[in-house]
Structure formats: structure tokens, C-alpha cells
Amino acid sequence: MEHFEYVLKILPPMLEGWKVTLTLFFLTLVMSLPLGTVMGIARLSHFKPLAWFMEFYVWLFRGTPLLLQLLFIYFGLMTVGIRLERFPAAVLAFVLNYAAYIAEIIRAGIQSIDKGQYEAADVLGLTRFQTMTNIILPQVFKRVIPPIGNEVINLVKDSALIYVLAISELLRVAKTAVMRDETFVPFIIAAVFYLFMTAIVQQFFKWVEHKFDYYR
Amino acid sequence: MYMIRALDIYKNFGHLKVLKGVSLTVEKGEVVAIIGPSGSGKSTFLRCLNRLETIDKGMIEVEGEIMVQNGPDGKAVYSDENRIALIRRKMGMVFQNFNLFPHKSVLENLILAPMLVNKVPREEAEKKALELLEKVGLKKKANNYPFELSGGQQQRVAIARALAMNPDIMCFDEPTSALDPELTGEVLKVMKDLALEHMTMIVVTHEIGFAREVANRVIFMDNGIIVEEGIAKEVIDNPKNERTREFLSKVLRI
């Protein structure tokens, strides 16, 4: 009974933290998916400097810890006079980081499409742009659903990293309560929240995969 | 009147000389079969004709329009892209592996290019597509997806898709090589019907029987050159060149 009352007591602040986590989650997705797609295509550009730049970009953002990128974008930019609010800084770091991973997935997806598809479109007179938008990308999207699903699950859990900028997301709220109240219950609640979110993501991607079952 | 004229075509892949001076003229309504062993350059030559591969030296002209010719330094110079695009629209291409668009239904496969490239209204494109599907015997499959079709049916759809662009010339790159033997007949039948309608056709094939019966002319290629050519029945029944004879005896297992 006393546990139940405690849960009711800490639930409102935890829901507040959850809201912050969800906001970061959705903002990152909405921006990094299109950005990563464009970057993945640019990575294969025939204009070499653009392709090289994208390769460098991906190396930079996959090659360093996301935690470091968060610190760099908030504190590092501050030292050169660019002062971002903490939450926008966090969103920026996440978008740049996730776009790099998504770009790699899209690049691999594009390269996995059979050369014959390009040739068929070519002899039918489609332009390169028409080929990309009508023939290649729709097939790429089907193929990248599973790896993108992985990234989205990672994003649910990575969101906890923004504690480092002292932003009160779900896990940070839980940790504060654990220290203050000397009980492990908030961590259990946090775990339930994360499992709930990943379950939704998992079911969503299962549904999307099913949606694309109409062709092979 | 000739439809395609290719003169002295040279093509290298790195150090490998694939085409060493191949010339071919195809008249309107003529069916030309190109036969020869693997690696003889026959597919590469066909692919050069509609610029799926670029040539190093030589001249290609389609219905009087120059696609590529030798520059002053003796190397091939292509015409500008817009002109080439117009020339290529006169040619339909059928691939060994069909290359249908798997995410599009059969009907969508047929109307996609007419709508996007030729700006044909959807209704008109669909009407024409259904006529073509009727012709290849697959009207009932209009709303199916390629994976639901057999190889032979997929290839017939691919032929209909090429025809939907109203080509003057149809190129076939080993159209039955990826098919189970019992499925080649239905594809060859569609091609034969096309020949009877006096479509100009260039067919790279291993189907010697088809070449003998349907083609007006047969070209035997080996090692990057044309070794022998002539009236299909004559070349196949009485090959004059030793290499042609050897090849034919192997494929016909006489």
C-alpha cells in the first residue's frame, strides 16, 4: 500500500520527464529521417566533393561518442560564442548523429538495388531523378525498414544521454528520486516506461513491414 | 530503308578488347539474330546500340540520326544528351533477367514510362497497356505483381512494357536464357508474332531453332568480330566458316 502511494507521488514528475524524452525522440526522428535520406543519396553523388564530404561527415559522427557530441555542441560552441539553449543543443546533436547512421543505411539500401532496375528505367527514357524517385527509393524504403527500426529503438534508449546537459528527461528524474528517497522503485518505473516505448516502436515497425508485403 | 547502321564498332573493357570492328545494318522490318559463344561480344554489341555501353570507336546511326561518330582524333564522340534521348526512344529493350519493377503491378509497369516520359494521360496509357497485355496473353494478370508471375509471364510483360513506348526497333538480349526450358516457347511465340507484324528486331539468342525459323538474317560473332553472316537458314544449315560449324554442332549437339 505504501509502495502504491509512493508510485502515485512520483508518477507526475516522471511523466514530466517522459514528456521531455518523447519530445526529443519525435523531433530527432522527424528531422533525421529526411536529412539522413538526402545525405545517403548525396553520399553516392557523381559530384565527388559532395560524396567525399558525406563520407567525412559520416565518419565524424559515427566515429565519436554521441555523449561527446552533446557536450561539444553545447559547451564547445559556447567557448566560440555560440550559445544554444540546452534542449535545442541536445536536439541538434541527436539529429546530426542519427542522420549519419540513417545516411549509411540508405546508402547501403540504394547500392543493394539490382543494376538491371537502373538499366530498365534508362532504356524506357526515365531521367536519373525520375529513376530515383519512382523506381529506386520506393524499393530502398522497403529494404531499410528493419535496420531503421533498430536505429529507432536505439534512439529511445539513447535519449537518456541528455542528462549530461542537466536536462530532466525520464531517467534523470528517476535517478534524482532514487537518491532522494533511497528506494529503487523509480528505476523500475523508468524501465517500464522504456519497455513500453520500445514495444510500441517494435509493433509499429512490424506493421510497416507487413504493409510492404504486397511485393517481393 | 535502314533502321540502324553501326560501322566499325570498337569497345574495350580496360585491357580486354570486347568488340574489334563490328558493323551491322538493319533494314526496316528485318529480324536479325545474333548468335555466338559466351564472351563473343554479342550482348555487348547489342547494348552499345542503345548506349547501355559506350563505344570507343565507330559510328552508330538510327533512322538517319547520328548517335555517335568518330571525332577528328579517331575516337567516338557522342551527340548531345537530348538528341540521344530522342534516338533511344525509338528502341525498345528486353533483358535476360526481365528487370520488371517489383514494386509496381503489371499494369503500372506498362504505363509508368508512357506517362512519365511521353506525358500520355493515364486513361490512354492504361487502354494501350491492356491492349498490349491482351496481345501477350496476360490481360488477366494486369493487377498482379511481378513476383506472382512465372519467368515466362514476366518476360512477356517485359516485352509489352517495351512495346508500350511505341518503339520502331526491338532489341532482345538473350530473352529466354534465364527461363526454364518449358517456358521459353511462350516467349518465343510472342516474339514470332511481333516478327510477323514486321517489327524490326535484333535478337541476341542461343535459340538456334528460333533464329533459323524467324530471323531473316543471322550474324555469328566470335571473339569480338562478325565471323559469318547471311540468310538465317543458309548459315545455320550450311555454315561456311569452321568456327561457325563448330559452334553450331556444339549447341545443336549433332
Side-chain angles (χ1 to χ4, degrees):
Chain A
M1 208 47 220
E2 136 196 22
H3 277 306
F4 183 68
E5 272 169 31
Y6 179 68
V7 169
L8 280 187
K9 198 182 81 151
I10 65 157
L11 213 47
M14 289 201 70
L15 281 170
E16 280 304 306
W18 189 43
K19 231 161 71 183
V20 174
T21 297
L22 280 180
T23 310
L24 175 74
F25 175 81
F26 281 113
L27 285 177
T28 303
L29 270 192
V30 165
M31 290 188 266
S32 67
L33 282 175
L35 184 63
T37 303
V38 172
M39 285 175 166
I41 297 168
R43 174 83 175 68
L44 296 169
S45 171
H46 289 262
F47 180 58
K48 286 295 162 205
L50 181 60
W52 291 330
F53 173 75
M54 288 326 307
E55 191 172 352
F56 172 77
Y57 177 90
V58 167
W59 173 67
L60 193 66
F61 278 89
R62 285 201 314 178
T64 54
L66 175 54
L67 197 58
L68 178 62
Q69 291 161 21
L70 278 163
L71 294 169
F72 196 89
I73 285 174
Y74 184 62
F75 295 111
L77 290 184
M78 207 186 281
T79 61
V80 293
I82 303 169
R83 188 175 290 271
L84 294 175
E85 293 291 323
R86 283 177 298 169
F87 191 72
V91 171
L92 179 62
F94 268 74
V95 169
L96 293 179
N97 179 277
Y98 272 80
Y101 282 91
I102 289 160
E104 272 303 275
I105 291 171
I106 296 287
R107 176 198 58 79
I110 291 173
Q111 288 181 324
S112 77
I113 301 293
D114 183 56
K115 185 166 121 312
Q117 292 290 303
Y118 292 93
E119 292 192 343
D122 187 28
V123 296
L124 287 169
L126 271 68
T127 62
R128 280 172 57 95
F129 183 77
Q130 287 171 332
T131 304
M132 215 27 155
T133 53
N134 289 280
I135 308 300
I136 306 301
L137 286 180
Q139 295 183 62
V140 167
F141 289 143
K142 175 180 165 113
R143 289 192 194 184
V144 301
I145 294 165
I148 294 280
N150 272 336
E151 287 306 320
V152 177
I153 298 258
N154 277 337
L155 175 59
V156 169
K157 297 173 295 177
D158 277 353
S159 64
L161 288 173
I162 60 170
Y163 82 90
V164 74
L165 300 184
I167 298 169
S168 292
E169 45 69 49
L170 181 58
L171 190 59
R172 187 165 184 266
V173 173
K175 194 176 153 207
T176 311
V178 166
M179 309 282 240
R180 182 190 59 215
D181 305 331
E182 295 180 343
T183 163
F184 223 67
V185 174
F187 276 159
I188 295 168
I189 298 172
V192 170
F193 271 91
Y194 283 113
L195 286 171
F196 173 68
M197 286 187 279
T198 48
I200 301 264
V201 171
Q202 214 165 312
Q203 288 308 309
F204 174 75
F205 275 88
K206 210 165 131 185
W207 175 77
V208 176
E209 271 186 54
H210 182 69
K211 275 266 157 199
F212 276 91
D213 269 350
Y214 68 90
Y215 78 89
R216 265 173 234 156
Chain B
M1 184 189 130
Y2 66 83
M3 297 296 267
I4 288 196
R5 201 152 64 104
L7 273 182
D8 217 17
I9 306 295
Y10 284 79
K11 165 80 183 167
N12 299 337
F13 286 122
H15 291 294
L16 187 69
K17 293 179 171 133
V18 186
L19 299 176
K20 299 182 277 198
V22 179
S23 299
L24 173 71
T25 303
V26 181
E27 303 285 327
K28 189 172 172 21
E30 201 180 13
V31 178
V32 175
I34 306 179
I35 60 171
S38 308
S40 60
K42 56 191 190 309
S43 278
T44 304
F45 178 61
L46 185 73
R47 290 165 58 82
C48 285
L49 292 181
N50 60 7
R51 216 207 44 180
L52 278 172
E53 308 282 355
T54 52
I55 63 172
D56 298 326
K57 225 166 81 178
M59 191 278 290
I60 297 173
E61 198 182 359
V62 181
E63 295 180 54
E65 300 266 354
I66 292 193
M67 180 155 84
V68 56
Q69 60 187 336
N70 285 332
D73 60 350
K75 282 187 187 148
V77 180
Y78 277 85
S79 301
D80 70 89
E81 281 302 318
N82 293 330
R83 191 156 170 198
I84 290 179
L86 287 175
I87 294 172
R88 295 177 87 206
R89 252 178 245 179
K90 301 171 196 289
M91 288 187 266
M93 178 84 182
V94 175
F95 300 92
Q96 181 176 347
N97 294 317
F98 331 135
N99 294 339
L100 293 179
F101 304 130
H103 61 303
K104 303 265 179 200
S105 73
V106 166
L107 187 69
E108 288 167 340
N109 262 279
L110 264 68
I111 64 174
L112 180 90
M115 285 175 62
L116 279 179
V117 180
N118 291 349
K119 313 291 176 205
V120 177
R122 173 177 284 271
E123 225 171 284
E124 199 181 310
E126 285 187 356
K127 189 167 163 277
K128 164 109 185 173
L130 289 171
E131 281 168 22
L132 286 167
L133 286 174
E134 175 116 67
K135 186 167 160 173
V136 299
L138 290 169
K139 200 174 175 185
K140 279 188 189 147
K141 301 286 184 186
N143 294 315
N144 285 83
Y145 282 83
F147 80 93
E148 297 168 305
L149 273 54
S150 72
Q153 290 172 331
Q154 288 190 49
Q155 191 61 300
R156 280 144 67 197
V157 172
I159 294 172
R161 181 177 68 177
L163 290 173
M165 292 297 278
N166 294 318
D168 295 337
I169 305 155
M170 283 286 283
C171 301
F172 297 83
D173 187 7
E174 303 198 23
T176 56
S177 295
L179 297 176
D180 290 335
E182 76 267 26
L183 298 179
T184 58
E186 59 188 72
V187 173
L188 295 176
K189 160 113 183 17
V190 168
M191 291 168 62
K192 190 177 165 184
D193 290 347
L194 264 183
L196 290 174
E197 291 168 23
H198 305 293
M199 172 63 83
T200 309
M201 292 162 63
I202 306 174
V203 187
V204 170
T205 186
H206 292 297
E207 297 286 338
I208 304 300
F210 173 82
R212 186 184 179 283
E213 188 192 348
V214 179
N216 308 108
R217 198 144 54 94
V218 74
I219 309 275
F220 174 69
M221 278 183 73
D222 190 18
N223 208 8
I225 55 166
I226 293 178
V227 172
E228 185 167 355
E229 68 174 297
I231 297 167
K233 283 193 178 71
E234 288 177 11
V235 171
I236 290 166
D237 294 344
N238 294 303
K240 294 195 172 56
N241 185 285
E242 179 56 36
R243 273 188 287 174
T244 316
R245 220 171 304 159
E246 198 186 325
F247 172 77
L248 285 171
S249 72
K250 269 184 198 153
V251 290
L252 298 171
R253 290 188 200 86
I254 304 168

